[in-house]
Amino acid sequence: MVHCLIIGAAGMLGAGLAKRLIEDGAIAGKAVSRLTLFDIAVPSTLPEGGKVVVEFEAGDISSPETAERLVATRPDVIFHLAAIVSGEAERDFDKGYRINLDGTRHLFDAVRKAHEADGYYPRVVFTSSLAVFGSPLPDVIDDDYIITPRSSYGTQKAIGELLLADYSRRGFFDGIGIRLPTICIRPGKPNAAASGFFSNILREPLAGLPATLPVEPSVRHWFASPRAAIGFIAHAAAVDGALLKERRNMTMPGVSATVADEIEALRAIAGDDAVKLIRQEIDPAIVAIISTWPKAFEASQAEKLGFKADQSFEAIIQAYLEDYAPKAEKQA
Amino acid sequence: MVHCLIIGAAGMLGAGLAKRLIEDGAIAGKAVSRLTLFDIAVPSTLPEGGKVVVEFEAGDISSPETAERLVATRPDVIFHLAAIVSGEAERDFDKGYRINLDGTRHLFDAVRKAHEADGYYPRVVFTSSLAVFGSPLPDVIDDDYIITPRSSYGTQKAIGELLLADYSRRGFFDGIGIRLPTICIRPGKPNAAASGFFSNILREPLAGLPATLPVEPSVRHWFASPRAAIGFIAHAAAVDGALLKERRNMTMPGVSATVADEIEALRAIAGDDAVKLIRQEIDPAIVAIISTWPKAFEASQAEKLGFKADQSFEAIIQAYLEDYAPKAEKQA
């Protein structure tokens, strides 16, 4: 019987993970009996747990007391997804470091103290990001490439990875850090994040709405559907810790695609009319940011450990239509 | 007129750097007018400053107040060499993180606050370590190889590098992090550190004393003399910050040598009688530790920036005889 804790449970991935754990009812062949969802505020709706006891806790993850309270119930698996996102961590230096660095360290220290008290030894799954990589980058980045973030968010995630590896090496917990590809298609409304257009140019036309493309179609990047990303996080809980000795943090497999590939996949699924809703309007600021981003990875370690990417960009669109579009239609 | 602050001034490198700055009397063509030496306790002897005003401050670098006090005088160059060493950081987890991580962060934050207050913008030189690298490692490690430390000390240094890069990118200070090779010949008494024998097998025979070699002569590693290491630190203060944009942290050039190379250099300088004082006695624990260490680097960025390694292992021994052995003889 497994007790899971999701820190950052109100986010898109956290909520999807909760749903998935309840649906699966099991992790690595063991029944999930209890699911603690944590975030800064209690969401308006909680998932139906079925056989799983679901509870929600609200609090500030950057306070050491919160981490100790969460660890007090000794969850077997801790999913640490909570973070201030890239743009906000760049705007608010102190807040980014307080939540993304201190929050992570307090959590890891709370687990360490529990380990020292009674041998507590959970699996800790930490979601990291491609933002740990910074230019200059090769066209294809392998598992041995240096991590030199070009944002405070990326720096905080890279430090989280280092702490996770050291605390795991010390035997305080059994950690695994997974660098998620850029999520596409991100459900919801268009957002102003530099990466937003990768989703906007698909999601909006699929709903019959116009979308702006701020870069050239030749721009290449690394993607996973929310479904695949949630799959990575769930799978990370099940990976054999003995296989992680030397490298606790790894890049997740993904689909390397250009914007042109995205558009062709959209055409295959929704036709020329959908494609015609995309209007190109170059934004030099976004072009400059994106030019420093990774294009593709050789995610060998993760593949060996059984992490599975989407099959193609068409499959990414298909997964969106199955997982999110029906709801959007119902709401409309 | 340059005011320099050395944090960790009582250590071997810190004391050597102070001596060197006083002797040179200048950094990057500007006169050094004031030298603040900081360490946990005031040493019994202070260097004669000549034209340089030398002052000593004692305190605990892990306290935010200490960092603020040191920054209050707005030194133009801050050399941050202070650290709990590898063995102690491994034995005392809390102390290692408190001094090596929190101490570094408090220092960087004190500079940031001073920057925000009045535009203060010093050069910050941070000494990192080969301990940031962890197995598996290629035979020759280039500037793009991933950093996966296998010790808490290496983890703390790697985090210091990330913070230095982010704070520099943000424009809070003009930082440079330099990964020093293993120092050889380390002056003083034989020590029990896993790396101690690299120095012991030269220093002791040079003084007519026996030494133990705990590994095979085929073991290869990366070395710098104290003189070269002090040269790296001094040069780091003078490097043009505009050349450091994307990579603020770098491995220093060194001499890649096997233990057999060390022994042949000893033979060339001190003869067969000196070599006969080395007795091999394999220590499986040390063999295991050393097997995970780097063997050689391609330190391209540092070389381009003008950092200069020792010419050969014979030159390393020669530097030791010139810089340290005469003193040992006078004391004897």
Side-chain angles (χ1 to χ4, degrees):
Chain A
M1 304 294 270
V2 179
H3 172 201
C4 295
L5 164 64
I6 302 177
I7 299 172
M12 188 246 303
L13 294 178
L17 176 64
K19 187 164 169 284
R20 161 101 187 235
L21 292 176
I22 291 166
E23 280 169 11
D24 289 359
I27 277 186
K30 285 186 195 155
V32 175
S33 55
R34 181 176 173 190
L35 181 57
T36 305
L37 306 177
F38 175 88
D39 215 305
I40 196 151
V42 180
S44 52
T45 55
L46 279 180
E48 296 280 339
K51 286 184 186 164
V52 181
V53 177
V54 179
E55 63 206 355
F56 202 96
E57 299 232 16
D60 174 5
I61 191 60
S62 72
S63 120
E65 294 70 32
T66 304
E68 279 165 25
R69 177 162 58 88
L70 287 171
V71 166
T73 60
R74 303 288 191 267
D76 303 292
V77 180
I78 300 177
F79 295 97
H80 179 32
L81 319 181
I84 295 297
V85 297
S86 186
E88 190 173 0
E90 202 63 20
R91 276 192 302 280
D92 190 337
F93 185 87
D94 284 309
K95 188 175 181 185
Y97 273 90
R98 193 173 70 242
I99 306 285
N100 295 351
L101 172 49
D102 296 329
T104 298
R105 192 167 166 208
H106 291 324
L107 173 67
F108 291 177
D109 271 331
V111 175
R112 171 168 75 99
K113 281 169 196 159
H115 172 81
E116 288 165 351
D118 60 15
Y120 175 54
Y121 187 69
R123 163 60 50 94
V124 174
V125 178
F126 173 64
T127 49
S128 185
S129 162
L130 301 188
V132 300
F133 295 100
S135 57
L137 292 171
D139 284 345
V140 178
I141 302 168
D142 68 18
D143 283 337
D144 293 337
Y145 197 73
I146 194 167
I147 279 165
T148 56
R150 302 287 303 157
S151 68
S152 292
Y153 174 79
T155 301
Q156 292 145 10
K157 285 293 186 187
I159 293 174
E161 290 190 8
L162 285 164
L163 293 173
L164 177 120
D166 197 41
Y167 281 58
S168 295
R169 186 187 60 82
R170 288 274 190 156
F172 302 143
F173 57 70
D174 183 13
I176 177 167
I178 60 175
R179 292 177 208 121
L180 297 177
T182 288
I183 304 298
C184 189
I185 300 171
R186 189 174 271 281
K189 304 224 162 149
N191 78 45
S195 63
F197 73 87
F198 288 122
S199 286
N200 298 349
I201 60 166
L202 302 176
R203 185 191 52 242
E204 301 308 298
L206 285 169
L209 298 168
T212 305
L213 173 63
V215 302
E216 292 296 341
S218 59
V219 164
R220 181 176 284 282
H221 194 47
W222 190 242
F223 301 101
S225 66
R227 186 193 287 181
I230 291 162
F232 296 152
I233 301 170
H235 184 66
V239 166
D240 179 0
L243 301 175
L244 297 173
K245 258 191 195 164
E246 287 181 320
R247 296 278 176 89
R248 289 269 170 186
N249 299 285
M250 67 202 79
T251 303
M252 290 292 103
V255 174
S256 175
T258 62
V259 168
D261 294 334
E262 283 194 75
I263 293 171
E264 287 319 302
L266 174 66
R267 192 187 313 275
I269 285 173
D272 286 338
D273 287 349
V275 171
K276 281 180 192 151
L277 290 163
I278 303 171
R279 189 172 47 89
Q280 195 185 41
E281 193 178 323
I282 298 292
D283 181 333
I286 291 184
V287 169
I289 293 172
I290 301 283
S291 72
T292 67
W293 288 9
K295 295 182 176 70
F297 291 86
E298 203 177 289
S300 310
Q301 188 188 358
E303 283 172 10
K304 269 185 214 138
L305 292 171
F307 289 94
K308 295 260 185 292
D310 301 281
Q311 295 285 322
S312 66
F313 220 100
E314 286 189 36
I316 287 179
I317 297 179
Q318 209 57 57
Y320 170 76
L321 292 173
E322 290 168 17
D323 295 347
Y324 298 99
K327 280 184 226 155
E329 277 162 26
K330 274 180 217 154
Q331 284 165 2
Chain B
M1 302 292 269
V2 179
H3 173 199
C4 295
L5 164 64
I6 302 176
I7 299 173
M12 188 245 303
L13 294 178
L17 176 63
K19 189 164 169 284
R20 162 100 186 236
L21 292 176
I22 291 166
E23 281 169 9
D24 289 358
I27 277 186
K30 284 187 196 155
V32 175
S33 56
R34 182 175 172 191
L35 181 58
T36 306
L37 306 177
F38 175 87
D39 215 306
I40 196 151
V42 180
S44 52
T45 55
L46 280 179
E48 295 283 338
K51 287 183 185 165
V52 181
V53 176
V54 179
E55 62 206 356
F56 202 97
E57 299 233 17
D60 174 5
I61 190 59
S62 73
S63 124
E65 293 70 32
T66 304
E68 278 164 29
R69 177 161 58 87
L70 287 171
V71 166
T73 60
R74 303 291 190 264
D76 303 292
V77 180
I78 300 177
F79 296 96
H80 179 32
L81 320 181
I84 295 297
V85 298
S86 186
E88 191 172 2
E90 203 61 21
R91 275 191 305 278
D92 190 337
F93 184 87
D94 285 308
K95 188 175 183 186
Y97 273 90
R98 193 173 70 244
I99 306 284
N100 295 350
L101 171 49
D102 296 329
T104 298
R105 193 168 165 208
H106 292 324
L107 172 67
F108 292 177
D109 271 330
V111 175
R112 171 168 75 97
K113 281 169 196 160
H115 172 81
E116 287 164 353
D118 60 16
Y120 175 55
Y121 188 68
R123 165 59 50 92
V124 175
V125 178
F126 172 65
T127 49
S128 185
S129 161
L130 301 189
V132 301
F133 295 101
S135 56
L137 292 171
D139 283 346
V140 178
I141 302 168
D142 68 19
D143 283 337
D144 293 336
Y145 197 73
I146 195 169
I147 280 165
T148 55
R150 302 287 302 154
S151 67
S152 292
Y153 173 80
T155 300
Q156 292 144 11
K157 286 292 186 188
I159 294 174
E161 290 190 8
L162 286 164
L163 293 172
L164 176 120
D166 197 40
Y167 281 57
S168 296
R169 185 187 62 80
R170 288 275 192 155
F172 303 143
F173 56 71
D174 184 14
I176 178 168
I178 60 175
R179 292 177 207 120
L180 297 176
T182 289
I183 304 298
C184 189
I185 300 174
R186 189 173 270 281
K189 303 223 162 148
N191 79 44
S195 62
F197 74 87
F198 287 121
S199 286
N200 298 349
I201 60 166
L202 301 176
R203 186 190 52 242
E204 300 308 298
L206 285 169
L209 299 169
T212 305
L213 172 62
V215 303
E216 292 296 342
S218 58
V219 163
R220 180 176 285 281
H221 194 47
W222 190 244
F223 300 101
S225 66
R227 186 193 287 181
I230 291 162
F232 295 152
I233 301 170
H235 183 67
V239 167
D240 180 0
L243 302 175
L244 297 173
K245 258 191 193 163
E246 288 180 319
R247 296 278 176 88
R248 289 268 169 185
N249 299 284
M250 66 202 77
T251 302
M252 290 292 103
V255 174
S256 175
T258 62
V259 169
D261 294 335
E262 284 194 72
I263 293 171
E264 287 319 303
L266 175 66
R267 193 188 314 275
I269 285 173
D272 286 339
D273 287 350
V275 172
K276 281 181 192 151
L277 289 163
I278 304 170
R279 190 172 47 89
Q280 193 184 42
E281 192 178 324
I282 298 293
D283 181 334
I286 291 184
V287 169
I289 293 172
I290 300 284
S291 73
T292 67
W293 288 9
K295 294 181 176 69
F297 291 86
E298 203 177 287
S300 311
Q301 188 188 357
E303 283 172 10
K304 269 183 216 139
L305 292 172
F307 289 94
K308 296 259 183 295
D310 302 281
Q311 295 284 323
S312 65
F313 221 100
E314 284 188 39
I316 287 179
I317 297 179
Q318 208 58 54
Y320 170 77
L321 291 174
E322 290 167 19
D323 296 346
Y324 298 100
K327 282 184 223 156
E329 274 162 26
K330 275 181 215 152
Q331 285 165 2

